[in-house]
Amino acid sequence: MTDEQSWAVAEVFQGVPLGLYMHVPFCATACSFCAFYQERPLRESLERYLAGMEAELALLKFERPVSTVFWGGGTPGLLPAEDLLRLGEAMLKVTKGPTQEWTVEVAPSVIKPDKLKALKQLGVSRISMGVQTFKASLLEALGRRHGPAQVYQAYAWAREAGFKNINLDLMFALPGQSFEDWREDLEQALALNPEHISTYCLTFEEDTALYAKLMRGETRKRSADEEAEFYLKTWEILRAAGYEQYEVSNFARPGYACQHNVDTWRMAEWVGVGPSAASQYEGWRYHNVPSIDTWLGGLASGKLAHGDRHALSVEGVAADALIFGLRLNAGVDLAGLGQRFPMVTGMPALDDFFNNLASEGLLVFEGSSIKLTDAGRLVADGIGLRLLEYFDQD
Ligand code: SF4
């Protein structure tokens, strides 16, 4: 990258929020649909991990405040309360106190009142609970270690601990899940009255037990029409219950959108800490290696081992800001985008592309903004792929 290019990229990130993502790679067992890097939570591994996190955090020196924090996994809530406190205290030295939003993912099978108390004491403001479904047989098929009773118990404990911002993660289009099953899942989630609900369509990732079953012909993937029906039913039910859809898969009570994720989709900057954590920072995109041993080896030598490290280009960030911005219901303000990425306003072909989407009923113009319609949201991935063709990606 020339000095001129790196200066242009630095300009694009002037004044954007800074997020901190901390990865906790431990899972008690592997869920059948999950391809994330994960480790068994042996005490010795936990100790080495915690020492590594303290060392990596100590390397961070931010020149501006961290706006939001997200602890994801793996299963952060699997750490014992004293380890959560240790990790949190190491992080608070970097952020110099709690940030405006601090989310921690928890699993109903392992979260306990003492852990929730520790998280509250640290200043965690948001709990994200991996429920997936309330149906015992479907939970078992997914390899989840909890049943519906544990979801209710964990949720009650989180409220008792004082958490006023709780997300429930749910999944649809599961093998054997009928539309009626999914409606019941949504109704049970709504009965708990969480501030936020995330709804994900099952995907078959390679190297998962579910994918192996698919390959053996023991399960089937839903057709695109069936998936679309799941999406549309979800949107109808959650909107009718007063939840605002702010992204294809995310719904919240007014004021409870996950700011960390919104900043990510708006192409802000974030720094990932921990094995496999991804970063977009100071003109580079990269991730830490997905191995505790290699990650610790890098820390010991004073140089973190990064995978897939590449310099960002203004065109690449502009494309991502458009693609991910369109997944948001607020859409993309083209005037604002043009100020941040002047080359976008000089692309007549892009105007034609948006006009065509509008004539197909997939997009609407509102003032200086463009927004996908529901029909557009159903094909947001395909629109994103087509958009990429307009940008010169290195
Ligand atoms: S879904 Fe979550 S808990 Fe299950 S294996 Fe993946 S990271 Fe672990």
Side-chain angles (χ1 to χ4, degrees):
M1 195 166 38
T2 64
D3 283 354
E4 202 177 318
Q5 282 166 329
S6 63
W7 180 83
V9 170
E11 274 289 289
V12 156
F13 288 107
Q14 273 294 327
V16 300
L18 175 62
L20 181 64
Y21 174 78
M22 307 241 301
H23 194 74
V24 185
F26 300 101
C27 299
T29 50
C31 300
S32 64
F33 57 90
C34 180
F36 287 152
Y37 154 67
Q38 52 192 272
E39 302 262 351
R40 296 283 82 80
L42 305 173
R43 189 64 232 168
E44 192 235 345
S45 308
L46 290 177
E47 280 299 330
R48 294 169 73 230
Y49 163 78
L50 289 167
M53 291 300 275
E54 286 168 336
E56 188 174 357
L57 284 164
L59 296 175
L60 300 178
K61 303 268 177 296
F62 296 128
E63 285 170 10
R64 65 189 202 275
V66 173
S67 305
T68 57
V69 171
F70 199 105
W71 286 13
T75 320
L78 185 146
L79 297 180
E82 57 273 23
D83 291 346
L84 291 170
L85 286 170
R86 181 174 162 189
L87 190 59
E89 277 154 16
M91 189 202 81
L92 288 167
K93 285 186 199 148
V94 178
T95 57
K96 302 186 179 65
T99 51
Q100 70 182 59
E101 179 189 275
W102 179 355
T103 302
V104 174
E105 287 182 344
V106 304
S109 55
V110 292
I111 196 68
K112 295 286 177 290
D114 63 327
K115 299 181 184 186
L116 288 159
K117 192 171 159 216
L119 294 175
K120 190 72 190 160
Q121 185 185 323
L122 284 166
V124 171
S125 58
R126 186 170 180 272
I127 292 293
S128 179
M129 201 174 283
V131 175
Q132 317 315 348
T133 164
F134 289 85
K135 205 158 189 254
S137 59
L138 294 177
L139 283 166
E140 205 181 317
L142 291 177
R144 300 293 290 189
R145 289 165 61 92
H146 65 264
Q150 278 169 299
V151 176
Y152 292 119
Q153 179 64 83
Y155 189 88
W157 282 335
R159 287 297 193 209
E160 279 161 27
F163 287 101
K164 296 187 167 43
N165 188 355
I166 300 181
N167 167 56
L168 302 181
D169 270 351
L170 298 172
M171 286 178 90
F172 60 82
L174 305 175
Q177 183 185 41
S178 65
F179 290 122
E180 201 41 45
D181 289 337
W182 176 234
R183 176 184 295 282
E184 284 170 14
D185 273 347
L186 289 172
E187 281 166 1
Q188 289 184 75
L190 289 170
L192 289 171
N193 201 19
E195 284 68 31
H196 191 287
I197 299 179
S198 297
T199 56
Y200 299 110
C201 183
L202 176 74
T203 53
F204 288 82
E205 306 289 336
E206 279 183 42
D207 293 331
T208 62
L210 211 52
Y211 185 81
K213 271 181 120 177
L214 183 70
M215 290 297 103
R216 292 196 299 268
E218 291 166 18
T219 190
R220 72 170 184 97
K221 191 179 169 347
R222 299 306 177 101
S223 68
D225 284 350
E226 280 177 297
E227 286 186 357
E229 205 171 335
F230 271 107
Y231 272 109
L232 292 171
K233 278 194 171 31
T234 307
W235 301 347
E236 184 190 314
I237 292 170
L238 293 182
R239 287 172 186 165
Y243 286 79
E244 268 175 20
Q245 184 183 24
Y246 68 98
E247 195 266 351
V248 174
S249 305
N250 287 283
F251 294 78
R253 294 281 189 211
Y256 286 95
C258 175
Q259 194 57 45
H260 183 88
N261 287 340
V262 171
D263 289 347
T264 305
W265 294 318
R266 292 280 186 216
M267 290 299 115
E269 286 192 306
W270 57 91
V271 172
V273 182
S276 87
S279 302
Q280 172 163 289
Y281 189 53
E282 294 189 325
W284 294 87
R285 205 176 274 176
Y286 51 89
H287 61 76
N288 287 349
V289 285
S291 148
I292 288 192
D293 288 340
T294 318
W295 169 70
L296 286 174
L299 281 165
S301 71
K303 193 168 178 344
L304 271 167
H306 288 155
D308 199 18
R309 183 178 166 88
H310 65 273
L312 292 167
S313 68
V314 177
E315 289 77 12
V317 184
D320 287 343
L322 249 180
I323 292 165
F324 288 94
L326 277 175
R327 294 182 65 86
L328 293 163
N329 289 49
V332 175
D333 172 21
L334 290 175
L337 195 82
Q339 273 170 9
R340 189 177 176 196
F341 307 100
M343 95 292 279
V344 172
T345 42
M347 291 172 71
L350 212 49
D351 292 342
D352 290 346
F353 178 68
F354 294 141
N355 284 327
N356 286 339
L357 289 180
S359 65
E360 290 169 44
L362 302 176
L363 175 144
V364 288
F365 293 93
E366 273 184 34
S368 64
S369 293
I370 49 170
K371 300 176 181 181
L372 293 185
T373 59
D374 277 354
R377 261 182 280 284
L378 286 175
V379 292
D381 290 344
I383 292 174
L385 284 175
R386 283 159 69 194
L387 266 172
L388 271 181
E389 292 165 16
Y390 292 89
F391 291 86
D392 178 26
Q393 301 270 327
D394 293 328

